[in-house]
Amino acid sequence: QTAEFPMEEGLTFYCTAEDRPGALIEALSRIAVAGINIDTIECVTVGDQFGCFIWAAQESWPKLAELLLQSTN
């Protein structure tokens, strides 16, 4: 028996930052203020860092990429 899950090829963004109280909310707030709707997010922590995979609609990819690049500079 197989489980049939809908699958769709796409792009995910991966960002990392220091794992501290409020760090993830700050990143998500910047995305929300920019008007980008997140489809899915998956986060993990390792040591003193967190990382998250972010999926968004294809039309949001350029704006999300620019936003995430700005936050790393």
Side-chain angles (χ1 to χ4, degrees):
Q1 187 176 30
T2 62
E4 293 188 26
F5 294 102
M7 295 182 64
E8 182 178 313
E9 189 171 326
L11 180 69
T12 184
F13 293 85
Y14 181 69
C15 63
T16 62
E18 178 185 4
D19 184 22
R20 57 175 177 72
L24 180 58
I25 294 300
E26 290 170 8
L28 295 177
S29 292
R30 286 193 302 273
I31 293 169
V33 166
I36 300 169
N37 186 41
I38 294 173
D39 292 336
T40 308
I41 186 168
E42 182 176 341
C43 300
V44 296
T45 60
V46 177
D48 65 348
Q49 296 285 306
F50 81 85
C52 62
F53 292 95
I54 301 170
W55 287 266
Q58 185 172 357
E59 60 269 10
S60 299
W61 294 351
K63 193 174 185 179
L64 181 56
E66 182 180 336
L67 181 77
L68 293 173
L69 285 172
Q70 288 173 358
S71 67
T72 61
N73 295 331

Short mmCIF file of all heavy atoms in Angstrom, two decimals:
data_model
loop_
_atom_site.label_atom_id
_atom_site.label_comp_id
_atom_site.label_asym_id
_atom_site.label_seq_id
_atom_site.Cartn_x
_atom_site.Cartn_y
_atom_site.Cartn_z
N GLN A 1 0.85 -1.17 0.00
CA GLN A 1 0.00 0.00 0.00
C GLN A 1 0.90 1.24 0.00
O GLN A 1 1.89 1.31 0.72
CB GLN A 1 -0.90 -0.02 1.22
CG GLN A 1 -1.92 1.06 1.21
CD GLN A 1 -2.86 0.93 2.41
OE1 GLN A 1 -2.48 0.45 3.46
NE2 GLN A 1 -4.08 1.37 2.22
N THR A 2 0.54 2.22 -0.78
CA THR A 2 1.32 3.45 -0.84
C THR A 2 0.47 4.63 -0.38
O THR A 2 -0.74 4.64 -0.57
CB THR A 2 1.83 3.72 -2.27
OG1 THR A 2 0.70 3.90 -3.13
CG2 THR A 2 2.69 2.59 -2.78
N ALA A 3 1.14 5.57 0.22
CA ALA A 3 0.47 6.82 0.60
C ALA A 3 0.62 7.78 -0.57
O ALA A 3 1.71 7.97 -1.09
CB ALA A 3 1.11 7.40 1.84
N GLU A 4 -0.46 8.34 -0.98
CA GLU A 4 -0.41 9.27 -2.10
C GLU A 4 -0.52 10.69 -1.58
O GLU A 4 -1.58 11.13 -1.17
CB GLU A 4 -1.52 8.96 -3.09
CG GLU A 4 -1.32 7.62 -3.77
CD GLU A 4 -2.29 7.38 -4.90
OE1 GLU A 4 -2.78 8.36 -5.49
OE2 GLU A 4 -2.56 6.21 -5.17
N PHE A 5 0.62 11.37 -1.59
CA PHE A 5 0.68 12.76 -1.16
C PHE A 5 0.92 13.63 -2.38
O PHE A 5 1.75 13.29 -3.23
CB PHE A 5 1.81 12.99 -0.16
CG PHE A 5 1.60 12.28 1.15
CD1 PHE A 5 2.27 11.11 1.42
CD2 PHE A 5 0.75 12.80 2.10
CE1 PHE A 5 2.09 10.44 2.62
CE2 PHE A 5 0.55 12.15 3.30
CZ PHE A 5 1.22 10.97 3.56
N PRO A 6 0.23 14.74 -2.49
CA PRO A 6 0.50 15.63 -3.61
C PRO A 6 1.92 16.19 -3.48
O PRO A 6 2.34 16.58 -2.40
CB PRO A 6 -0.55 16.72 -3.49
CG PRO A 6 -1.02 16.66 -2.08
CD PRO A 6 -0.79 15.26 -1.60
N MET A 7 2.65 16.18 -4.57
CA MET A 7 4.01 16.71 -4.57
C MET A 7 4.14 17.76 -5.65
O MET A 7 3.50 17.67 -6.70
CB MET A 7 5.02 15.58 -4.81
CG MET A 7 5.02 14.57 -3.68
SD MET A 7 6.22 13.27 -3.91
CE MET A 7 7.73 14.20 -3.84
N GLU A 8 4.96 18.73 -5.36
CA GLU A 8 5.17 19.81 -6.31
C GLU A 8 6.63 20.23 -6.21
O GLU A 8 7.16 20.43 -5.12
CB GLU A 8 4.25 20.97 -5.92
CG GLU A 8 4.33 22.15 -6.84
CD GLU A 8 3.36 23.24 -6.40
OE1 GLU A 8 2.18 22.92 -6.12
OE2 GLU A 8 3.80 24.39 -6.31
N GLU A 9 7.28 20.35 -7.35
CA GLU A 9 8.66 20.82 -7.36
C GLU A 9 8.67 22.31 -7.09
O GLU A 9 7.79 23.04 -7.53
CB GLU A 9 9.30 20.53 -8.72
CG GLU A 9 10.78 20.78 -8.73
CD GLU A 9 11.44 20.30 -10.00
OE1 GLU A 9 11.00 19.30 -10.56
OE2 GLU A 9 12.40 20.96 -10.43
N GLY A 10 9.65 22.73 -6.32
CA GLY A 10 9.72 24.15 -6.00
C GLY A 10 11.08 24.54 -5.46
O GLY A 10 12.06 23.82 -5.62
N LEU A 11 11.10 25.64 -4.79
CA LEU A 11 12.33 26.20 -4.25
C LEU A 11 12.12 26.45 -2.76
O LEU A 11 11.04 26.88 -2.35
CB LEU A 11 12.63 27.53 -4.95
CG LEU A 11 13.87 28.30 -4.54
CD1 LEU A 11 15.12 27.55 -4.98
CD2 LEU A 11 13.86 29.67 -5.15
N THR A 12 13.13 26.18 -1.99
CA THR A 12 13.08 26.49 -0.57
C THR A 12 14.25 27.40 -0.23
O THR A 12 15.30 27.35 -0.87
CB THR A 12 13.11 25.22 0.30
OG1 THR A 12 12.96 25.58 1.67
CG2 THR A 12 14.38 24.45 0.13
N PHE A 13 14.04 28.25 0.73
CA PHE A 13 15.09 29.15 1.20
C PHE A 13 15.53 28.65 2.57
O PHE A 13 14.71 28.25 3.39
CB PHE A 13 14.55 30.58 1.33
CG PHE A 13 14.20 31.18 0.00
CD1 PHE A 13 12.96 30.96 -0.57
CD2 PHE A 13 15.12 31.95 -0.69
CE1 PHE A 13 12.64 31.50 -1.79
CE2 PHE A 13 14.80 32.49 -1.92
CZ PHE A 13 13.56 32.26 -2.48
N TYR A 14 16.83 28.68 2.82
CA TYR A 14 17.37 28.25 4.10
C TYR A 14 18.08 29.43 4.74
O TYR A 14 18.92 30.07 4.11
CB TYR A 14 18.35 27.09 3.91
CG TYR A 14 18.93 26.56 5.21
CD1 TYR A 14 18.12 25.89 6.11
CD2 TYR A 14 20.26 26.77 5.54
CE1 TYR A 14 18.63 25.42 7.30
CE2 TYR A 14 20.77 26.29 6.73
CZ TYR A 14 19.96 25.61 7.61
OH TYR A 14 20.47 25.15 8.78
N CYS A 15 17.72 29.75 5.95
CA CYS A 15 18.41 30.84 6.65
C CYS A 15 18.82 30.36 8.03
O CYS A 15 18.20 29.47 8.61
CB CYS A 15 17.55 32.10 6.73
SG CYS A 15 16.04 31.94 7.67
N THR A 16 19.89 30.92 8.52
CA THR A 16 20.41 30.57 9.84
C THR A 16 20.66 31.85 10.62
O THR A 16 20.86 32.92 10.05
CB THR A 16 21.73 29.78 9.76
OG1 THR A 16 22.71 30.59 9.12
CG2 THR A 16 21.55 28.49 9.00
N ALA A 17 20.67 31.70 11.93
CA ALA A 17 20.97 32.83 12.80
C ALA A 17 21.29 32.29 14.19
O ALA A 17 21.08 31.11 14.47
CB ALA A 17 19.80 33.81 12.87
N GLU A 18 21.73 33.18 15.03
CA GLU A 18 21.99 32.83 16.43
C GLU A 18 20.67 32.43 17.09
O GLU A 18 19.66 33.11 16.93
CB GLU A 18 22.61 34.02 17.15
CG GLU A 18 22.88 33.76 18.61
CD GLU A 18 23.37 35.00 19.34
OE1 GLU A 18 23.44 36.08 18.72
OE2 GLU A 18 23.67 34.88 20.52
N ASP A 19 20.69 31.34 17.83
CA ASP A 19 19.50 30.88 18.53
C ASP A 19 19.39 31.64 19.85
O ASP A 19 20.10 31.37 20.81
CB ASP A 19 19.57 29.37 18.79
CG ASP A 19 18.30 28.83 19.43
OD1 ASP A 19 17.25 29.49 19.28
OD2 ASP A 19 18.37 27.77 20.05
N ARG A 20 18.51 32.62 19.85
CA ARG A 20 18.27 33.42 21.05
C ARG A 20 16.78 33.77 21.08
O ARG A 20 16.11 33.71 20.04
CB ARG A 20 19.11 34.69 21.06
CG ARG A 20 18.89 35.56 19.85
CD ARG A 20 19.64 36.90 19.91
NE ARG A 20 19.43 37.64 18.69
CZ ARG A 20 18.31 38.25 18.32
NH1 ARG A 20 17.25 38.19 19.12
NH2 ARG A 20 18.20 38.90 17.20
N PRO A 21 16.26 34.11 22.23
CA PRO A 21 14.83 34.45 22.30
C PRO A 21 14.46 35.56 21.31
O PRO A 21 15.12 36.60 21.25
CB PRO A 21 14.64 34.91 23.74
CG PRO A 21 15.72 34.22 24.50
CD PRO A 21 16.90 34.17 23.55
N GLY A 22 13.45 35.31 20.51
CA GLY A 22 12.94 36.31 19.58
C GLY A 22 13.59 36.33 18.21
O GLY A 22 13.11 37.02 17.31
N ALA A 23 14.66 35.59 18.00
CA ALA A 23 15.38 35.65 16.72
C ALA A 23 14.51 35.20 15.55
O ALA A 23 14.47 35.86 14.50
CB ALA A 23 16.66 34.83 16.78
N LEU A 24 13.80 34.10 15.70
CA LEU A 24 12.96 33.61 14.62
C LEU A 24 11.79 34.57 14.36
O LEU A 24 11.46 34.86 13.21
CB LEU A 24 12.44 32.21 14.92
CG LEU A 24 11.53 31.59 13.86
CD1 LEU A 24 12.22 31.51 12.51
CD2 LEU A 24 11.05 30.22 14.31
N ILE A 25 11.20 35.08 15.42
CA ILE A 25 10.08 36.03 15.27
C ILE A 25 10.54 37.28 14.52
O ILE A 25 9.81 37.81 13.68
CB ILE A 25 9.48 36.40 16.64
CG1 ILE A 25 8.84 35.17 17.28
CG2 ILE A 25 8.49 37.54 16.53
CD1 ILE A 25 7.73 34.56 16.47
N GLU A 26 11.75 37.76 14.79
CA GLU A 26 12.27 38.92 14.08
C GLU A 26 12.36 38.64 12.58
O GLU A 26 11.97 39.48 11.76
CB GLU A 26 13.64 39.32 14.63
CG GLU A 26 13.58 39.90 16.02
CD GLU A 26 14.96 40.05 16.65
OE1 GLU A 26 15.98 39.84 15.96
OE2 GLU A 26 15.01 40.38 17.86
N ALA A 27 12.88 37.47 12.22
CA ALA A 27 12.99 37.11 10.81
C ALA A 27 11.62 36.99 10.17
O ALA A 27 11.38 37.52 9.07
CB ALA A 27 13.76 35.80 10.66
N LEU A 28 10.68 36.33 10.84
CA LEU A 28 9.34 36.17 10.29
C LEU A 28 8.60 37.50 10.20
O LEU A 28 7.83 37.72 9.27
CB LEU A 28 8.54 35.17 11.13
CG LEU A 28 9.08 33.74 11.12
CD1 LEU A 28 8.23 32.86 12.05
CD2 LEU A 28 9.13 33.17 9.73
N SER A 29 8.84 38.39 11.14
CA SER A 29 8.21 39.71 11.10
C SER A 29 8.67 40.51 9.89
O SER A 29 7.86 41.18 9.23
CB SER A 29 8.51 40.49 12.38
OG SER A 29 7.87 39.90 13.48
N ARG A 30 9.97 40.44 9.57
CA ARG A 30 10.48 41.14 8.38
C ARG A 30 9.80 40.60 7.12
O ARG A 30 9.45 41.36 6.22
CB ARG A 30 11.99 41.00 8.27
CG ARG A 30 12.76 41.84 9.27
CD ARG A 30 14.24 41.94 8.94
NE ARG A 30 14.89 40.63 8.87
CZ ARG A 30 15.41 39.97 9.91
NH1 ARG A 30 15.36 40.52 11.11
NH2 ARG A 30 15.99 38.81 9.75
N ILE A 31 9.60 39.29 7.07
CA ILE A 31 8.94 38.68 5.91
C ILE A 31 7.49 39.15 5.84
O ILE A 31 7.00 39.52 4.77
CB ILE A 31 9.04 37.14 6.00
CG1 ILE A 31 10.51 36.71 5.83
CG2 ILE A 31 8.15 36.48 4.96
CD1 ILE A 31 10.79 35.27 6.16
N ALA A 32 6.80 39.17 6.96
CA ALA A 32 5.40 39.61 6.99
C ALA A 32 5.25 41.07 6.60
O ALA A 32 4.37 41.43 5.81
CB ALA A 32 4.81 39.37 8.37
N VAL A 33 6.12 41.93 7.12
CA VAL A 33 6.06 43.36 6.81
C VAL A 33 6.27 43.59 5.30
O VAL A 33 5.68 44.49 4.72
CB VAL A 33 7.09 44.15 7.65
CG1 VAL A 33 7.28 45.56 7.12
CG2 VAL A 33 6.65 44.18 9.11
N ALA A 34 7.09 42.74 4.68
CA ALA A 34 7.33 42.85 3.24
C ALA A 34 6.15 42.33 2.42
O ALA A 34 6.16 42.41 1.19
CB ALA A 34 8.60 42.09 2.86
N GLY A 35 5.13 41.78 3.09
CA GLY A 35 3.95 41.31 2.39
C GLY A 35 4.10 39.93 1.77
O GLY A 35 3.36 39.58 0.86
N ILE A 36 5.06 39.15 2.25
CA ILE A 36 5.30 37.82 1.71
C ILE A 36 4.56 36.80 2.57
O ILE A 36 4.72 36.77 3.79
CB ILE A 36 6.81 37.50 1.69
CG1 ILE A 36 7.55 38.52 0.82
CG2 ILE A 36 7.06 36.08 1.22
CD1 ILE A 36 9.05 38.47 0.95
N ASN A 37 3.78 35.96 1.91
CA ASN A 37 3.05 34.91 2.60
C ASN A 37 3.89 33.64 2.58
O ASN A 37 4.32 33.18 1.52
CB ASN A 37 1.70 34.66 1.93
CG ASN A 37 0.86 33.69 2.70
OD1 ASN A 37 0.81 33.75 3.93
ND2 ASN A 37 0.18 32.80 2.00
N ILE A 38 4.14 33.05 3.74
CA ILE A 38 4.90 31.81 3.85
C ILE A 38 3.94 30.64 3.71
O ILE A 38 2.92 30.59 4.39
CB ILE A 38 5.64 31.75 5.20
CG1 ILE A 38 6.71 32.83 5.26
CG2 ILE A 38 6.24 30.37 5.42
CD1 ILE A 38 7.37 32.94 6.62
N ASP A 39 4.28 29.71 2.82
CA ASP A 39 3.46 28.50 2.67
C ASP A 39 3.79 27.49 3.77
O ASP A 39 2.89 26.92 4.38
CB ASP A 39 3.71 27.84 1.31
CG ASP A 39 3.17 28.67 0.15
OD1 ASP A 39 2.26 29.48 0.37
OD2 ASP A 39 3.69 28.50 -0.97
N THR A 40 5.08 27.28 4.01
CA THR A 40 5.53 26.30 4.99
C THR A 40 6.85 26.75 5.57
O THR A 40 7.64 27.40 4.89
CB THR A 40 5.75 24.91 4.33
OG1 THR A 40 4.58 24.55 3.61
CG2 THR A 40 6.08 23.84 5.35
N ILE A 41 7.08 26.41 6.83
CA ILE A 41 8.36 26.69 7.47
C ILE A 41 8.73 25.50 8.35
O ILE A 41 7.86 24.91 8.97
CB ILE A 41 8.34 28.01 8.27
CG1 ILE A 41 9.73 28.34 8.79
CG2 ILE A 41 7.32 27.96 9.37
CD1 ILE A 41 9.86 29.74 9.35
N GLU A 42 10.00 25.15 8.34
CA GLU A 42 10.50 24.07 9.18
C GLU A 42 11.79 24.55 9.83
O GLU A 42 12.70 24.99 9.15
CB GLU A 42 10.78 22.83 8.33
CG GLU A 42 11.25 21.65 9.13
CD GLU A 42 11.43 20.41 8.26
OE1 GLU A 42 10.88 20.34 7.15
OE2 GLU A 42 12.16 19.52 8.71
N CYS A 43 11.83 24.51 11.15
CA CYS A 43 12.98 25.04 11.89
C CYS A 43 13.64 23.98 12.76
O CYS A 43 12.96 23.09 13.27
CB CYS A 43 12.55 26.19 12.79
SG CYS A 43 11.84 27.56 11.90
N VAL A 44 14.93 24.12 12.92
CA VAL A 44 15.70 23.24 13.81
C VAL A 44 16.74 24.10 14.54
O VAL A 44 17.10 25.17 14.08
CB VAL A 44 16.42 22.11 13.04
CG1 VAL A 44 15.44 21.17 12.39
CG2 VAL A 44 17.38 22.68 12.01
N THR A 45 17.18 23.61 15.68
CA THR A 45 18.28 24.26 16.38
C THR A 45 19.38 23.25 16.60
O THR A 45 19.13 22.07 16.83
CB THR A 45 17.85 24.83 17.75
OG1 THR A 45 17.38 23.77 18.57
CG2 THR A 45 16.78 25.89 17.61
N VAL A 46 20.60 23.74 16.50
CA VAL A 46 21.79 22.93 16.78
C VAL A 46 22.76 23.84 17.51
O VAL A 46 23.18 24.88 16.98
CB VAL A 46 22.44 22.39 15.49
CG1 VAL A 46 23.72 21.63 15.82
CG2 VAL A 46 21.47 21.52 14.72
N GLY A 47 23.06 23.48 18.74
CA GLY A 47 23.97 24.31 19.53
C GLY A 47 23.39 25.69 19.73
O GLY A 47 22.26 25.85 20.17
N ASP A 48 24.16 26.70 19.33
CA ASP A 48 23.71 28.08 19.52
C ASP A 48 23.17 28.70 18.23
O ASP A 48 23.06 29.91 18.11
CB ASP A 48 24.84 28.93 20.09
CG ASP A 48 26.02 29.07 19.14
OD1 ASP A 48 26.07 28.32 18.14
OD2 ASP A 48 26.89 29.92 19.38
N GLN A 49 22.82 27.88 17.25
CA GLN A 49 22.30 28.35 15.96
C GLN A 49 20.94 27.72 15.69
O GLN A 49 20.66 26.62 16.13
CB GLN A 49 23.25 27.97 14.82
CG GLN A 49 24.62 28.62 14.89
CD GLN A 49 24.55 30.07 14.50
OE1 GLN A 49 24.07 30.42 13.44
NE2 GLN A 49 25.05 30.95 15.37
N PHE A 50 20.11 28.45 14.95
CA PHE A 50 18.90 27.85 14.43
C PHE A 50 18.94 27.98 12.92
O PHE A 50 19.60 28.85 12.36
CB PHE A 50 17.61 28.47 15.01
CG PHE A 50 17.19 29.77 14.35
CD1 PHE A 50 16.41 29.76 13.21
CD2 PHE A 50 17.53 30.98 14.91
CE1 PHE A 50 16.01 30.94 12.62
CE2 PHE A 50 17.13 32.18 14.33
CZ PHE A 50 16.37 32.16 13.17
N GLY A 51 18.25 27.09 12.28
CA GLY A 51 18.12 27.15 10.83
C GLY A 51 16.67 26.89 10.47
O GLY A 51 15.97 26.17 11.17
N CYS A 52 16.23 27.52 9.39
CA CYS A 52 14.86 27.26 8.97
C CYS A 52 14.77 27.23 7.46
O CYS A 52 15.44 27.99 6.76
CB CYS A 52 13.87 28.24 9.58
SG CYS A 52 14.10 29.94 9.16
N PHE A 53 13.96 26.29 6.99
CA PHE A 53 13.62 26.19 5.58
C PHE A 53 12.30 26.92 5.40
O PHE A 53 11.37 26.74 6.19
CB PHE A 53 13.45 24.72 5.17
CG PHE A 53 14.74 23.95 5.18
CD1 PHE A 53 15.10 23.21 6.29
CD2 PHE A 53 15.58 23.98 4.08
CE1 PHE A 53 16.28 22.48 6.30
CE2 PHE A 53 16.77 23.26 4.08
CZ PHE A 53 17.12 22.52 5.19
N ILE A 54 12.23 27.76 4.39
CA ILE A 54 11.03 28.56 4.14
C ILE A 54 10.56 28.31 2.71
O ILE A 54 11.35 28.43 1.77
CB ILE A 54 11.33 30.07 4.33
CG1 ILE A 54 11.83 30.34 5.75
CG2 ILE A 54 10.09 30.90 4.01
CD1 ILE A 54 12.36 31.75 5.95
N TRP A 55 9.29 27.97 2.59
CA TRP A 55 8.68 27.80 1.28
C TRP A 55 7.66 28.92 1.10
O TRP A 55 6.90 29.23 2.01
CB TRP A 55 7.96 26.47 1.19
CG TRP A 55 8.84 25.27 1.09
CD1 TRP A 55 9.25 24.65 -0.07
CD2 TRP A 55 9.41 24.52 2.16
NE1 TRP A 55 10.04 23.58 0.25
CE2 TRP A 55 10.15 23.46 1.61
CE3 TRP A 55 9.37 24.63 3.55
CZ2 TRP A 55 10.83 22.53 2.38
CZ3 TRP A 55 10.05 23.72 4.33
CH2 TRP A 55 10.77 22.68 3.74
N ALA A 56 7.63 29.50 -0.08
CA ALA A 56 6.67 30.55 -0.41
C ALA A 56 6.25 30.39 -1.86
O ALA A 56 6.89 29.65 -2.63
CB ALA A 56 7.30 31.93 -0.19
N ALA A 57 5.20 31.08 -2.25
CA ALA A 57 4.71 31.02 -3.62
C ALA A 57 5.79 31.53 -4.58
O ALA A 57 6.58 32.41 -4.24
CB ALA A 57 3.45 31.87 -3.76
N GLN A 58 5.82 30.96 -5.77
CA GLN A 58 6.86 31.29 -6.74
C GLN A 58 6.95 32.78 -7.02
O GLN A 58 8.04 33.32 -7.17
CB GLN A 58 6.62 30.52 -8.04
CG GLN A 58 7.73 30.71 -9.05
CD GLN A 58 7.59 29.81 -10.25
OE1 GLN A 58 6.68 28.98 -10.33
NE2 GLN A 58 8.48 29.95 -11.20
N GLU A 59 5.83 33.48 -7.06
CA GLU A 59 5.88 34.92 -7.35
C GLU A 59 6.57 35.71 -6.23
O GLU A 59 6.98 36.84 -6.43
CB GLU A 59 4.49 35.48 -7.64
CG GLU A 59 3.50 35.33 -6.52
CD GLU A 59 2.69 34.04 -6.58
OE1 GLU A 59 2.99 33.14 -7.38
OE2 GLU A 59 1.73 33.93 -5.80
N SER A 60 6.73 35.10 -5.05
CA SER A 60 7.39 35.76 -3.92
C SER A 60 8.89 35.49 -3.85
O SER A 60 9.59 36.12 -3.07
CB SER A 60 6.76 35.30 -2.60
OG SER A 60 5.41 35.63 -2.55
N TRP A 61 9.40 34.55 -4.66
CA TRP A 61 10.80 34.15 -4.55
C TRP A 61 11.78 35.31 -4.69
O TRP A 61 12.67 35.45 -3.85
CB TRP A 61 11.14 33.06 -5.56
CG TRP A 61 10.45 31.75 -5.31
CD1 TRP A 61 9.69 31.39 -4.22
CD2 TRP A 61 10.43 30.63 -6.17
NE1 TRP A 61 9.22 30.11 -4.36
CE2 TRP A 61 9.66 29.62 -5.55
CE3 TRP A 61 10.99 30.37 -7.42
CZ2 TRP A 61 9.45 28.37 -6.13
CZ3 TRP A 61 10.78 29.12 -7.99
CH2 TRP A 61 10.03 28.14 -7.36
N PRO A 62 11.67 36.17 -5.71
CA PRO A 62 12.65 37.25 -5.83
C PRO A 62 12.65 38.19 -4.62
O PRO A 62 13.71 38.56 -4.10
CB PRO A 62 12.23 38.00 -7.10
CG PRO A 62 11.43 37.01 -7.88
CD PRO A 62 10.74 36.16 -6.84
N LYS A 63 11.47 38.55 -4.16
CA LYS A 63 11.35 39.46 -3.01
C LYS A 63 11.88 38.80 -1.73
O LYS A 63 12.59 39.44 -0.95
CB LYS A 63 9.88 39.85 -2.85
CG LYS A 63 9.63 41.01 -1.94
CD LYS A 63 8.15 41.37 -2.01
CE LYS A 63 7.83 42.60 -1.20
NZ LYS A 63 6.41 42.96 -1.28
N LEU A 64 11.57 37.53 -1.54
CA LEU A 64 12.05 36.81 -0.35
C LEU A 64 13.56 36.65 -0.39
O LEU A 64 14.23 36.85 0.62
CB LEU A 64 11.35 35.45 -0.25
CG LEU A 64 11.71 34.58 0.95
CD1 LEU A 64 11.48 35.31 2.26
CD2 LEU A 64 10.92 33.28 0.91
N ALA A 65 14.09 36.33 -1.55
CA ALA A 65 15.55 36.18 -1.69
C ALA A 65 16.25 37.50 -1.36
O ALA A 65 17.24 37.51 -0.62
CB ALA A 65 15.91 35.74 -3.11
N GLU A 66 15.74 38.60 -1.89
CA GLU A 66 16.34 39.91 -1.62
C GLU A 66 16.28 40.24 -0.12
O GLU A 66 17.25 40.70 0.46
CB GLU A 66 15.60 40.99 -2.42
CG GLU A 66 16.17 42.37 -2.24
CD GLU A 66 15.42 43.41 -3.05
OE1 GLU A 66 14.78 43.06 -4.06
OE2 GLU A 66 15.47 44.59 -2.65
N LEU A 67 15.15 39.98 0.49
CA LEU A 67 14.97 40.25 1.91
C LEU A 67 15.95 39.44 2.76
O LEU A 67 16.59 39.97 3.68
CB LEU A 67 13.54 39.96 2.33
CG LEU A 67 13.21 40.23 3.78
CD1 LEU A 67 13.03 41.72 4.01
CD2 LEU A 67 11.97 39.48 4.19
N LEU A 68 16.07 38.16 2.47
CA LEU A 68 16.96 37.31 3.25
C LEU A 68 18.43 37.68 3.04
O LEU A 68 19.22 37.63 3.97
CB LEU A 68 16.72 35.82 2.91
CG LEU A 68 15.36 35.28 3.35
CD1 LEU A 68 15.15 33.87 2.84
CD2 LEU A 68 15.20 35.34 4.87
N LEU A 69 18.79 38.08 1.83
CA LEU A 69 20.16 38.51 1.57
C LEU A 69 20.47 39.80 2.33
O LEU A 69 21.56 39.98 2.85
CB LEU A 69 20.40 38.70 0.08
CG LEU A 69 20.55 37.41 -0.71
CD1 LEU A 69 20.59 37.72 -2.22
CD2 LEU A 69 21.80 36.65 -0.29
N GLN A 70 19.51 40.72 2.38
CA GLN A 70 19.71 41.97 3.12
C GLN A 70 19.90 41.72 4.61
O GLN A 70 20.70 42.37 5.25
CB GLN A 70 18.50 42.90 2.94
CG GLN A 70 18.39 43.51 1.60
CD GLN A 70 17.09 44.29 1.43
OE1 GLN A 70 16.25 44.33 2.31
NE2 GLN A 70 16.90 44.88 0.27
N SER A 71 19.19 40.72 5.14
CA SER A 71 19.28 40.47 6.58
C SER A 71 20.59 39.80 6.97
O SER A 71 20.92 39.74 8.14
CB SER A 71 18.09 39.63 7.05
OG SER A 71 18.14 38.34 6.49
N THR A 72 21.35 39.29 5.99
CA THR A 72 22.64 38.66 6.31
C THR A 72 23.79 39.65 6.20
O THR A 72 24.90 39.35 6.58
CB THR A 72 22.91 37.46 5.37
OG1 THR A 72 22.97 37.92 4.02
CG2 THR A 72 21.86 36.39 5.54
N ASN A 73 23.53 40.81 5.66
CA ASN A 73 24.61 41.82 5.50
C ASN A 73 24.62 42.79 6.66
O ASN A 73 23.74 43.05 7.34
CB ASN A 73 24.42 42.59 4.18
CG ASN A 73 24.59 41.66 2.99
OD1 ASN A 73 25.31 40.68 3.05
ND2 ASN A 73 23.91 41.98 1.91
#
